[in-house]
Amino acid sequence: MAFYFEDNFLYCDGIRVKEIQSRVGVSPFYLYSGEQIEGNYLAYTQALAEIPSQVSYAIKANNNLHILKLLHSLGCWATLVSGNELRLALAAGFEPDQLIFNGNGKTISEITLAIQRGVMINIDSFFDLDHIQTVAEHTNRRARVLLRIAPDLDVTVHPYLSTGLKETKFGLPISQIPRMTTLLARSNHLDLVGIHCHLGSTIDTVHVFQETMAIMARHFTEIRSQGFPLQYINLGGGLGINYRHDQSQHPSPGDLIAAVRAEIPTDSTLIIEPGRSLIGNAGILVCRVIGVKRNVNRSFIVVDGSMAELIRPSLYQAFHYIAFSEPVTGPVEVFDIVGPVCESADFLGKKRRLATPPEGTCITIFDAGAYGRAMSSNYNARMKPAEFLVADEVLHQIRREERFEDYLNLFEPNEDHI
Ligand code: PLP
């Protein structure tokens, strides 16, 4: 276990988190377990061992360069949603042919970068096709493309996390596939090499993946029969994790692969694009208690982390398990854990039974590795936090904290120029 408690102290890969907090001298901060990241990746590759396949990490979940380097060293590809994610992936050492550029609003300059580097691109719409085709013509290059399809399957997740319905802004409704393949058949610059979909995120049942695979396999076979040399069937990401740390049965990567296995078309390569299930439980947000406050009917533990560092609770009403990282013996009460940001929506957890902590207590928000630091903001002029990684029981700083000087440097020195 990468994160575990011993004598009520939290450990990360063998090092006490409280000790790390004292050593690093900044708060709040993100802390990742190298062991957990490798274990999560292995869970996918072991499940896929007998299947022609590729894991492609969704960089949007966490774009720390050192985490990208680690995943690349394990054999992972990467899925990108912006030109800068593409640049980051190249900086981390990924080869262009290990990258898939996805997105519903790719700009001409982003498409140009992808085509010049030879990165595979998802076609998301007719205008996107037009843009990719035009850039390929102008640069006189061929581009390998996948068709992103919206399979119109409902997944019972927060509406902001659902992306596979026909009403979604992502991908092509099934009814428009024939028109798209007709246009692609005429293109002399684009090679359609696969199809792609992504249902949504935090999915905690595998039967919807099975249904999706059946639908995608039908389209794969149909499009291939039209003469397109399809190789890739990309099922996207979306597998949830056990944010509640309860006994509920959460499907593993093994369960996911077992569910779709029988439907995979022959002579195809399966691509899986996990973000959350690779990095989510491998990261924590470590905070300090600023104080305890009791209002009428409500008690609060105010900590130095906030919605600016971890927006998931405020944005999606997402649950994150929260615990003290050191022994606390004060009277147990029900608390809301809130940050210092000037918004009522600024909370990290609600109605948690916890002991009353003294000021300065180390407190941890779990499962913050995905969509944590990556979605952080400078709201209330808060500086984005530092990140640390424990690898082979050694603590490494993998990104320093933003400093006020960094922030100030972005402003033009002379306002007359506006
Ligand atoms: N692939 C695509 C195209 C996505 O848009 C996303 C996330 O939204 C992912 C993969 C990763 O999803 P998750 O982090 O839920 O595994």
Side-chain angles (χ1 to χ4, degrees), residues 13 35 38 390-394 396:
D13 293 352
E35 191 183 311
E38 293 189 28
V390 179
D392 298 326
E393 298 196 11
V394 178
H396 304 267

Side-chain angles (χ1 to χ4, degrees), residues 90-252:
L90 294 175
F94 288 88
E95 295 298 328
D97 63 3
Q98 298 178 314
L99 303 177
I100 304 165
F101 186 24
N102 174 70
N104 68 311
K106 301 183 275 295
T107 63
I108 297 293
S109 68
E110 289 175 319
I111 293 170
T112 306
L113 177 66
I115 290 184
Q116 281 173 339
R117 293 306 189 114
V119 169
M120 254 190 305
I121 306 178
N122 275 353
I123 301 176
D124 187 86
S125 62
F126 288 98
F127 80 72
D128 201 31
L129 167 71
D130 222 40
H131 292 175
I132 299 167
Q133 168 80 23
T134 306
V135 173
E137 273 169 22
H138 283 170
T139 53
N140 199 22
R141 289 178 188 251
R142 297 193 76 80
R144 291 180 310 143
V145 292
L146 306 184
L147 191 56
R148 175 153 180 179
I149 295 172
D152 195 23
L153 280 172
D154 199 3
V155 285
T156 42
V157 297
H158 189 282
Y160 294 176
L161 295 171
S162 172
T163 56
L165 289 169
K166 64 176 184 289
E167 296 85 1
T168 177
K169 72 170 184 171
F170 302 104
L172 207 68
I174 284 169
S175 58
Q176 296 177 6
I177 297 175
R179 200 173 121 218
M180 180 60 85
T181 49
T182 305
L183 292 172
L184 279 165
R186 285 190 211 138
S187 166
N188 46 17
H189 283 85
L190 306 187
D191 297 320
L192 182 62
V193 295
I195 57 174
H196 172 269
C197 71
H198 172 70
L199 292 178
S201 221
T202 68
I203 300 170
D204 57 10
T205 159
V206 292
H207 83 263
V208 68
F209 286 106
Q210 187 177 8
E211 265 182 85
T212 307
M213 185 50 119
I215 294 171
M216 292 292 281
R218 270 205 310 279
H219 293 295
F220 186 92
T221 309
E222 162 63 24
I223 296 171
R224 194 185 247 177
S225 74
Q226 295 167 27
F228 292 99
L230 295 196
Q231 179 186 356
Y232 298 112
I233 182 155
N234 185 337
L235 213 53
L239 192 65
I241 58 174
N242 186 358
Y243 279 111
R244 289 187 177 270
H245 289 202
D246 59 12
Q247 297 309 311
S248 60
Q249 287 301 308
H250 270 259
S252 65

